[in-house]
Amino acid sequence: MLELKGIIPAMLTPLTDKQTINDEVVVQLTRHLIDSGVHGIFILGTNGEFHLLSAEEKLHLARIVIREAKGKVPVIVGTGGDNTEGVIALSRQMEELGADGLSVITPYFIAPTQEELIVHYEKIAAATSLPILLYNIPARTGVHLEPETVARLAKIPNMIGIKDSDGGFDNISKYIEATKDEAFSVYAGTDSLILRTLMAGGAGAVAATANMVPEIVVSIYNNWLNGNIEAAEKAQEQMRPLRDSFKYGTLPSVLKKAVELSGIPVGPPKSPVAEVSGAALDKVKEMVSFYHNQGVQL
């Protein structure tokens, strides 16, 4: 079974001005992340705008990334949705394409009970041989996976871990404690909590900030692994200006603009999200310049 550790970028989905997948830039971004030393790639997550893409677009993106990353780093593909049967169908298609693992966000809008969530995930796990990463992001979905629920799901052989984007360290800590007796890993989905998660027994992070500053984010893990906590803390703090800038636009418009200004033309967000402009754009430019002036490799 796949064992994921380290920094796994929550990769953006590059688009053209016509709102179609930009194949060339998908290749460019994938190669850039791999060359930066990341430990895996996570596509079709929240920052990958999965909720705004058609099934055909998702498959098209996955096909390119899997091809480029094959044999270098594992590719985890988001296949979650509201409909259990739909998740299963897309998961099987991604398995056929050669994905190394799946990420399955909780259903959203319908607010299922914990028991309904368990049945949902059990059916998905039984329908694929691929390892599955649970994805908890209640601020976006309105649904929270309780630690007791995660502990039960962790007993499923191909349920290998959870990405927690709850936003608080307390929840991550509870997940780690609840699953400590299982072959199950907890990953920070909130980038400000990467080092704290590692020090508490987590396996790493699925980090959106790694799209722009992958070497900084990777250095948090590598320094922690080598026992250089002071350097890991410094790297963790270096990410603050980027994270603080996210308030200037609708997700993931700020990150897309920041990556574009850093040299990779990932294009606009998917409509109806608008590109950053005006005073907000000036703030993003200032942030990117700050990293450039600090000598950070963008």
Side-chain angles (χ1 to χ4, degrees):
M1 189 61 66
L2 178 66
E3 185 178 5
L4 287 175
K5 290 184 178 181
I7 302 302
I8 306 163
M11 185 173 142
L12 296 168
T13 298
L15 299 176
T16 68
D17 289 339
K18 294 182 178 179
Q19 295 279 293
T20 59
I21 303 292
N22 190 326
D23 297 11
E24 182 179 342
V25 181
V26 172
V27 171
Q28 182 183 359
L29 181 56
T30 302
R31 290 178 178 175
H32 173 65
L33 294 174
I34 293 171
D35 290 345
S36 298
V38 301
H39 304 94
I41 292 178
F42 176 103
I43 62 171
L44 297 173
T46 307
N47 280 278
E49 302 171 280
F50 82 95
H51 50 292
L52 299 175
L53 301 175
S54 68
E56 291 75 17
E57 288 173 319
K58 292 177 181 180
L59 291 166
H60 183 74
L61 175 73
R63 190 174 291 109
I64 298 171
V65 176
I66 290 168
R67 182 191 67 216
E68 290 301 319
K70 210 63 179 175
K72 300 168 186 172
V73 297
V75 176
I76 309 302
V77 181
T79 57
D82 281 340
N83 181 296
T84 305
E85 290 73 24
V87 175
I88 289 172
L90 185 59
S91 296
R92 286 174 169 166
Q93 288 176 297
M94 293 301 182
E95 184 169 4
E96 290 176 4
L97 287 182
D100 297 291
L102 306 174
S103 167
V104 182
I105 197 170
T106 58
Y108 34 89
F109 188 76
I110 55 175
T113 67
Q114 297 297 303
E115 286 299 323
E116 287 169 334
L117 287 169
I118 288 171
V119 173
H120 174 71
Y121 281 113
E122 285 176 339
K123 288 181 177 179
I124 296 166
T128 178
S129 64
L130 289 179
I132 296 173
L133 196 66
L134 301 168
Y135 183 3
N136 185 60
I137 183 168
R140 300 285 174 180
T141 64
V143 179
H144 176 64
L145 280 166
E146 298 293 342
E148 296 80 7
T149 300
V150 174
R152 287 176 60 181
L153 292 173
K155 297 182 182 299
I156 300 173
N158 60 331
M159 202 69 73
I160 64 166
I162 185 167
K163 175 195 176 187
D164 182 47
S165 298
D166 170 84
F169 177 72
D170 184 57
N171 198 61
I172 288 175
S173 180
K174 288 178 180 178
Y175 284 162
I176 292 172
E177 177 63 25
T179 60
K180 63 183 179 181
D181 296 327
E182 307 295 337
F184 189 87
S185 299
V186 177
Y187 305 85
T190 301
D191 292 16
S192 60
L193 299 175
I194 296 173
L195 182 56
R196 288 189 71 185
T197 299
L198 290 168
M199 294 181 72
V206 179
T209 51
N211 284 277
M212 178 183 161
V213 288
E215 293 181 354
I216 291 178
V217 187
V218 168
S219 74
I220 298 173
Y221 180 80
N222 288 342
N223 280 307
W224 167 80
L225 191 65
N226 293 326
N228 194 342
I229 303 303
E230 184 177 348
E233 289 174 341
K234 181 180 178 181
Q236 180 73 75
E237 183 62 25
Q238 274 186 290
M239 293 160 52
R240 184 185 295 273
L242 173 55
R243 283 189 48 77
D244 286 349
S245 72
F246 289 172
K247 64 188 175 187
Y248 296 120
T250 302
L251 182 149
S253 61
V254 169
L255 184 57
K256 277 200 155 181
K257 183 57 67 175
V259 171
E260 180 180 288
L261 293 170
S262 301
I264 300 180
V266 293
K270 193 75 166 175
S271 180
V273 178
E275 288 194 77
V276 178
S277 61
L281 177 57
D282 291 339
K283 292 290 187 181
V284 176
K285 288 180 177 178
E286 288 176 14
M287 178 270 294
V288 174
S289 294
F290 167 80
Y291 282 103
H292 181 76
N293 293 335
Q294 293 290 314
V296 174
Q297 182 68 39
L298 303 178

